[in-house]
Amino acid sequence: MSVLEDADAPVERLSPLQEFCRAPGAFIRERPHVPLVPLILVVVVGAWEVIVRAGHLPDFLLPAPSAVGRALASGLSSRLYLEHFWITFSESLLGFLIAAAAGIAFGTVIAQFRLLERTLYPYLVALQTLPKIAIAPLLIVWLGFGFSSKVVIAALVAFFPVLVNVIVGLKTVDAGKLDLMRSLDASRWQTFRLVTFPNALPFVFAGLDIAIVFCVLGAIVGEFVGSQRGLGNLILQFHTSLDIAGMFAVLLLLAALGVGLHLVIQTIQRRVIFWAQADHVIGA
Amino acid sequence: MAAPLIVVSRLEKTYLTRAGSRIRALADVTLEVADGEFVTVVGPSGCGKTTLLRILGGLLPASSGTVELLGRRVTGPGRKVGMVFQDPVLLPWRTVLDNVMVPVIVLRLDRQLYRRRALELLALVGLTGFENRYPHELSGGMRQRVSLARALVHDPALLLMDEPFGALDAMTREAMNLELQRIWRESGKTVLFITHSIPEAVFLGDRVVVMSPRPARVVDMVTVDLPRPRDLDVMGSDSFGVYTRKIRQMLGPKGWLE
Ligand SMILES: Nc1ncnc2c1ncn2[C@@H]1O[C@H](COP(=O)(O)OP(=O)(O)O)[C@@H](O)[C@H]1O
Ligand SMILES: [Mg+2]
């Protein structure tokens, strides 16, 4: 093997933490955003606190960050928030899992048969453009105020991004890979298993990443429309009692839920489609 | 000369474009390749070389004429052929070894047995130690070597190569030419190799088939009488220059290769 070729073999990649420990100065010079991201948070929250205190704004209009922090701490310690959090979390996750399974299954079937795709296409477009959360009141009527109606709304909202991405992913295969399979006289199933399906995975994960955000949205809207429990219900309760600090605290919990779920998807994605990630790095 | 492994007679190909016009890519191509021979095909780009190769590989139906491989009409892809495309076309989610194993899986060959063969082929193409790497961890030249090992793994009688080193830099390309010659000599395969580089065609080929601009016809066949194994120094020799000049004259005056 020539020396030339070894030269463009990739070097071992360090984790950001390892890089920071090795040369903190250079690390920050190359990535000035790393210290800036938390700095912005500190500045904004600090300014907010100062403005609220100096302006003597009443708590029922805009609570200071410290008041929100107190509300959050007391809500968490009384386990009140956690119960509601758990409800919304399970509704969202279950809805997501249903949407993911159904989206992958239907998308795969639809992408296999051109006639099926063409027949269903106008309906898919119609359903996709319909704001799914508008169906929420109907589902509450059909399924009641409990857990199941929220799961169905979450699943419904999250289903379409998965479906669409699966179909697009399965149809976006480069001709060379299909030629390779054809040159070996591969069966449809072999081509699907060895090329088309793994090739679609980056699209599938893009869909799942949208779906995981959408399913929380669906669950919350469902709780707004009719529920006895959940973080959406808690927001309505605080709204009635004008507990604005409590509402902010719930929003923080929702943000944490969203970010947490997104990170879970990203972690799985990084493991499953590590090969696509490497391409992104080169493209970035 | 041994019995012909592949016989191409009066091959014609006319594409029908979406707009409804016709593009004649091959015009009356007749060609024989002997068992164990290394034949290179040169021609201006866009003349129909890839078209010819795809028909030989059974990926594309001819408009008329026939292709016979080992005495049997080629009507579709088969396991007697191994193809190396312009791009390596590796599956990025599979390791190097697993990429080489793709034909074994598709053709339902004995995995245990052919795994050994795949490892031997990776050694042959100089990739020992890279079996468990992924394609994105390899350089362009290394990827094309994987693709070569994959084309050989199911022990095809004929190797079809479509400008496999066209995307590589000049130095890597020369190194790959040397290695291909060695691999060919060690494996005893019949090779049909397409290129638009005249020196590459002369360096590698027992015979060089010179094609005209579209629609491709066989302009001439030049038998290259240079001793094997050839090293890169041969490119500086007088006889090498005679061959390349002769072919360039067939293609050059009208600027076909440019
Ligand atoms: N699928 C196709 N439909 C229509 N025209 C095609 C198709 N494939 C190739 N051609 C045309 O046929 C000619 C020969 O193409 P090709 O065999 O790829 O040439 P080469 O490999 O020698 O560069 C070109 O003019 C190309 O545009
Ligand atoms: Mg070509």
Side-chain angles (χ1 to χ4, degrees):
Chain A
M1 182 147 330
S2 69
V3 178
L4 259 176
E5 277 192 52
D6 286 338
D8 57 342
V11 289
E12 209 70 43
R13 212 172 251 122
L14 294 172
S15 78
L17 190 65
Q18 281 171 311
E19 267 184 65
F20 179 76
C21 294
R22 194 165 290 193
F27 181 85
I28 288 175
R29 229 172 299 124
E30 271 171 40
R31 298 175 190 70
H33 61 275
V34 171
L36 283 178
V37 169
L39 190 67
I40 289 215
L41 184 69
V42 171
V43 168
V44 169
V45 172
W48 175 0
E49 182 83 37
V50 168
I51 289 170
V52 169
R53 284 185 188 214
H56 302 289
L57 286 178
D59 255 4
F60 61 84
L61 276 184
L62 185 66
S66 52
V68 174
R70 274 195 302 279
L72 188 62
S74 76
L76 286 176
S77 60
S78 73
R79 300 184 58 85
L80 172 73
Y81 287 6
L82 287 185
E83 269 167 44
H84 291 282
F85 183 91
W86 177 247
I87 298 285
T88 305
F89 171 74
S90 345
E91 289 164 351
S92 307
L93 192 64
L94 199 57
F96 170 79
L97 292 177
I98 292 170
I104 292 172
F106 279 103
T108 304
V109 171
I110 289 171
Q112 300 310 307
F113 304 102
R114 184 161 294 186
L115 178 63
L116 190 62
E117 189 193 343
R118 291 193 176 162
T119 310
L120 293 182
Y121 188 73
Y123 297 103
L124 290 179
V125 171
L127 283 173
Q128 216 208 334
T129 44
L130 177 79
K132 260 74 64 185
I133 50 175
I135 312 173
L138 196 57
L139 287 169
I140 302 285
V141 172
W142 285 343
L143 298 170
F145 287 83
F147 189 73
S148 57
S149 57
K150 317 304 176 296
V151 173
V152 172
I153 295 165
L156 202 62
V157 175
F159 170 70
F160 281 90
V162 180
L163 180 79
V164 171
N165 275 281
V166 168
I167 294 175
V168 172
L170 288 172
K171 307 192 116 240
T172 314
V173 197
D174 82 278
K177 294 196 178 82
L178 294 180
D179 269 354
L180 169 71
M181 295 312 276
R182 228 151 61 71
S183 78
L184 294 166
D185 211 5
S187 67
R188 265 181 88 154
W189 166 242
Q190 285 175 326
T191 305
F192 177 79
R193 187 167 60 90
L194 292 170
V195 173
T196 325
F197 185 72
N199 190 74
L201 283 177
F203 290 86
V204 175
F205 271 100
L208 293 181
D209 207 16
I210 301 172
I212 201 92
V213 176
F214 274 29
C215 66
V216 180
L217 179 80
I220 293 294
V221 169
E223 287 169 0
F224 280 174
V225 175
S227 67
Q228 275 121 19
R229 295 185 302 167
L231 290 177
N233 183 271
L234 201 55
I235 288 184
L236 291 186
Q237 289 178 30
F238 288 150
H239 180 246
T240 314
S241 61
L242 277 182
D243 182 354
I244 308 298
M247 284 171 85
F248 269 99
V250 176
L251 287 180
L252 283 179
L253 285 178
L254 280 174
L257 177 60
V259 170
L261 289 172
H262 168 72
L263 287 180
V264 168
I265 291 287
Q266 285 237 307
T267 307
I268 298 172
Q269 170 175 352
R270 216 168 290 143
R271 300 224 162 168
V272 177
I273 51 167
F274 56 93
W275 41 275
Q277 229 73 31
D279 281 355
H280 286 176
V281 170
I282 290 164
Chain B
M1 204 149 85
L5 182 95
I6 187 155
V7 180
V8 177
S9 45
R10 318 217 57 176
L11 208 57
E12 292 266 349
K13 179 68 190 181
T14 304
Y15 287 108
L16 206 60
T17 64
R18 254 167 215 265
S21 63
R22 288 161 180 280
I23 294 181
R24 194 162 174 224
L26 297 181
D28 199 17
V29 173
T30 295
L31 185 68
E32 284 188 5
V33 180
D35 194 6
E37 202 181 6
F38 198 127
V39 172
T40 52
V41 179
V42 269
S45 72
C47 77
K49 302 183 294 296
T50 297
T51 303
L52 173 64
L53 204 83
R54 289 173 68 84
I55 295 175
L56 298 191
L59 288 178
L60 195 69
S63 300
S64 71
T66 57
V67 177
E68 279 182 19
L69 177 64
L70 291 160
R72 302 180 64 163
R73 273 287 286 277
V74 171
T75 50
R79 60 183 62 189
K80 291 273 172 266
V81 176
M83 295 189 85
V84 179
F85 302 92
Q86 240 157 314
D87 303 314
V89 211
L90 302 180
L91 305 179
W93 50 85
R94 289 184 153 250
T95 62
V96 164
L97 178 60
D98 287 345
N99 264 287
V100 176
M101 289 293 283
V102 164
V104 175
I105 296 168
V106 173
L107 299 172
R108 297 199 178 82
L109 306 173
D110 184 317
R111 291 200 197 184
Q112 292 276 303
L113 202 70
Y114 278 85
R115 204 184 119 90
R116 260 217 316 279
R117 186 175 157 78
L119 289 169
E120 283 165 16
L121 282 167
L122 283 172
L124 184 69
V125 299
L127 285 177
T128 303
F130 289 89
E131 297 85 357
N132 297 319
R133 297 288 191 96
Y134 284 89
H136 67 257
E137 301 173 314
L138 305 183
S139 68
M142 291 159 95
R143 287 181 203 176
Q144 204 51 284
R145 289 165 205 249
V146 178
S147 147
L148 183 58
R150 181 184 59 196
L152 290 168
V153 75
H154 55 293
D155 203 18
L158 175 68
L159 197 55
L160 297 174
M161 306 182 76
D162 188 2
E163 303 192 28
F165 310 138
L168 304 179
D169 63 271
M171 288 183 78
T172 310
R173 186 171 187 163
E174 287 183 348
M176 292 297 288
N177 283 340
L178 270 178
E179 293 215 18
L180 178 59
Q181 175 183 237
R182 178 177 59 79
I183 290 161
W184 165 68
R185 284 165 64 87
E186 285 177 29
S187 66
K189 297 288 174 219
T190 307
V191 181
L192 194 76
F193 183 101
I194 285 178
T195 176
H196 61 244
S197 154
I198 297 174
E200 186 173 70
V202 174
F203 179 80
L204 285 172
D206 291 326
R207 233 167 4 124
V208 181
V209 177
V210 184
M211 310 216 77
S212 71
R214 191 167 61 78
R217 285 170 296 105
V218 177
V219 178
D220 199 0
M221 299 204 200
V222 179
T223 302
V224 181
D225 245 331
L226 296 170
R228 304 258 192 194
R230 300 169 187 164
D231 54 27
L232 293 175
D233 290 339
V234 80
M235 293 197 180
S237 72
D238 289 342
S239 39
F240 191 89
V242 171
Y243 288 123
T244 53
R245 259 197 308 284
K246 183 173 173 194
I247 295 168
R248 186 159 287 128
Q249 271 161 11
M250 279 181 245
L251 297 169
K254 296 175 187 165
W256 286 352
L257 275 192
E258 302 317 317

